[in-house]
Amino acid sequence: MPVGKKLARSGRRRAFAMAAAGSVLFTSAALNAQEIIDLPGEDRWIEPRFEEVYRIGSPSGEGWEQFGNVRKVAFDGAGHLYVFDWQPLHIHVVDGSGGLRRTLGGQGDGPGEIRRASSFTVMPDGRVVVGDTGYLAYQIFDANGDYVRRVRMTPGDRPTTLWEFTPDPAGNALLSAVGSQMLLFQYSDDLPTHTTRPIERIDLAGDVAVKDTVAVGWLPLGVEWLTSGLREPTVFGPRMLMGVLQDGTIAFSDSSAYAIKVVPPGAGVQRILRRPLQPVRVTNRMKEAEKDRQRQEPVPPGQERLMREHIDGLVFSEAVSIVRELGVSWDGQIWVQRRGEGPLDDDGPIDVLTVDGRYLGSYRAGAMMPDAFGPDRLVAYIEEDELGVQTVVVKRVLGL
């Protein structure tokens, strides 16, 4: 795994308005209809074997790779890397040796320009979809980088309800887990409420996006609201994490326990992969320590009252969730990052599983989850040095 200082995920995953919720366990009744596969409880360690392919990003490099704020990277089926630089709203397309092929996007109101966005995704054939909250639309570019059209977001969607999304390999659609981290946070009095955390398929075939629920994640009780209307996260609780394999199978985690749910295309949860690891009970000392930590964080001018209200209204889970990140490789592996030593330590071991329920082993604590997986066992990492200079490193996984 990379030895450079990793781009701090804590800020992205524990943001002031992160839409995550949590509790301890789901009921056994919910599991009866699925195949339960109990994986070994003892870790089998994997020695890291990665070959660096190239790295891009330098303050002294070419203009395009003097990155402002890289939010996300993704691969297409040919192994080209797409780098979304949020500051200029540019998407750079990089070839297999790290050379620039083209740049698309850019801030503006013209065709192919982006008003306001926080994420994008890449279809296997190279088409690019940008969730543009300025237009309340998905902007689509073809495999050559040319602007094609806009698809308006589903009626009722607002900038506050745009979630992370990924391609549906089966068609002209996206998949999104409602309840994962929001991409844009905006205070509003009419945020939607949910009784579950659904995984939705977003069809982009028409002029307006059409949503359909393909799986349902658990939404713990105890979620509260700030007076501003923003949903308050449950501290230490489970995130709604999702990955999509190349055959369209979805793997997701929604509880504090170690339980990875597998959803084949067109079916409900078919299989649950479990390890006998127990969540840690949240203590009063943990709660007070977290409140003190947040009080020490810098607050933007004029936001002091809102931050005090946020801290006073914190809702704590009953247990510290085990699973912190989930990713899927193009060859069908599920990578599951567990918690580390402390309740806010996201950099625990990474387990590597197969979709049919085999445990291949674990990378030791301190290993970093790839920011993107690609074909031919490619992975990409967003790294940041002590001066805040960002670098994107592409490697190839050897072994396994």
Side-chain angles (χ1 to χ4, degrees), residues 39-116:
L39 305 173
E42 184 176 351
D43 290 320
R44 182 167 64 249
W45 299 116
I46 303 170
E47 292 303 320
R49 295 182 59 212
F50 295 85
E51 170 189 56
E52 184 170 316
V53 181
Y54 62 84
R55 63 177 57 222
I56 53 175
S58 168
S60 59
E62 298 183 29
W64 70 269
E65 62 175 332
Q66 296 178 22
F67 301 135
N69 186 353
V70 176
R71 285 288 184 88
K72 185 177 178 180
V73 292
F75 289 97
D76 66 16
H80 301 137
L81 180 71
Y82 295 65
V83 180
F84 176 43
D85 191 343
W86 180 76
Q87 187 169 306
L89 294 179
H90 281 152
I91 299 171
H92 304 295
V93 186
V94 179
D95 65 23
S97 60
L100 180 68
R101 290 172 58 88
R102 59 182 169 272
T103 295
L104 54 94
Q107 190 164 26
D109 294 325
E113 294 180 323
I114 302 167
R115 281 186 178 174
R116 185 172 65 245

Side-chain angles (χ1 to χ4, degrees), residues 16-256:
F16 171 46
M18 186 173 68
S23 186
V24 188
L25 297 170
F26 38 77
T27 64
S28 59
L31 305 182
N32 292 336
Q34 294 91 31
E35 175 188 14
I36 309 297
I37 297 181
D38 289 314
L39 305 173
E42 184 176 351
D43 290 320
R44 182 167 64 249
W45 299 116
I46 303 170
E47 292 303 320
R49 295 182 59 212
F50 295 85
E51 170 189 56
E52 184 170 316
V53 181
Y54 62 84
R55 63 177 57 222
I56 53 175
S58 168
S60 59
E62 298 183 29
W64 70 269
E65 62 175 332
Q66 296 178 22
F67 301 135
N69 186 353
V70 176
R71 285 288 184 88
K72 185 177 178 180
V73 292
F75 289 97
D76 66 16
H80 301 137
L81 180 71
Y82 295 65
V83 180
F84 176 43
D85 191 343
W86 180 76
Q87 187 169 306
L89 294 179
H90 281 152
I91 299 171
H92 304 295
V93 186
V94 179
D95 65 23
S97 60
L100 180 68
R101 290 172 58 88
R102 59 182 169 272
T103 295
L104 54 94
Q107 190 164 26
D109 294 325
E113 294 180 323
I114 302 167
R115 281 186 178 174
R116 185 172 65 245
S118 291
S119 194
F120 83 114
T121 198
V122 181
M123 302 295 188
D125 62 5
R127 287 175 295 150
V128 172
V129 180
V130 178
D132 192 327
T133 55
Y135 283 108
L136 283 180
Y138 299 96
Q139 301 223 53
I140 300 176
F141 300 80
D142 67 18
N144 296 316
D146 295 325
Y147 172 69
V148 177
R149 65 193 181 99
R150 295 190 196 109
V151 178
R152 295 195 306 276
M153 292 181 182
T154 305
D157 276 357
R158 298 173 56 85
T160 50
T161 60
L162 179 61
W163 311 93
E164 182 67 272
F165 50 83
T166 192
D168 179 358
N172 186 31
L174 308 173
L175 290 164
S176 177
V178 174
S180 59
Q181 185 172 345
M182 284 184 179
L183 302 181
L184 181 68
F185 307 114
Q186 183 179 56
Y187 293 102
S188 171
D189 293 328
D190 59 351
L191 285 174
T193 58
H194 295 278
T195 57
T196 63
R197 290 188 283 185
I199 296 174
E200 297 176 332
R201 186 178 188 271
I202 306 169
D203 193 321
L204 302 179
D207 294 330
V208 180
V210 177
K211 292 184 178 180
D212 181 41
T213 298
V214 297
V216 174
W218 173 60
L219 178 67
L221 299 175
V223 175
E224 296 185 356
W225 292 76
L226 293 173
T227 57
S228 59
L230 183 67
R231 189 190 297 274
E232 178 70 4
T234 303
V235 184
F236 303 140
R239 299 158 183 161
M240 183 66 181
L241 304 171
M242 179 193 73
V244 182
L245 288 82
Q246 292 304 298
D247 66 355
T249 296
I250 297 168
F252 74 95
S253 172
D254 63 351
S255 78
S256 293

Side-chain angles (χ1 to χ4, degrees), residues 24-26 31 36-39 239 241 251-262 269 271-277 279 322-323 326 334 336 353:
V24 188
L25 297 170
F26 38 77
L31 305 182
I36 309 297
I37 297 181
D38 289 314
L39 305 173
R239 299 158 183 161
L241 304 171
F252 74 95
S253 172
D254 63 351
S255 78
S256 293
Y258 192 112
I260 309 304
K261 301 180 181 181
V262 178
V269 176
R271 183 177 303 119
I272 299 177
L273 313 179
R274 304 191 305 192
R275 293 195 70 189
L277 307 174
I322 296 174
V323 178
L326 187 150
I334 304 171
V336 180
L353 319 175

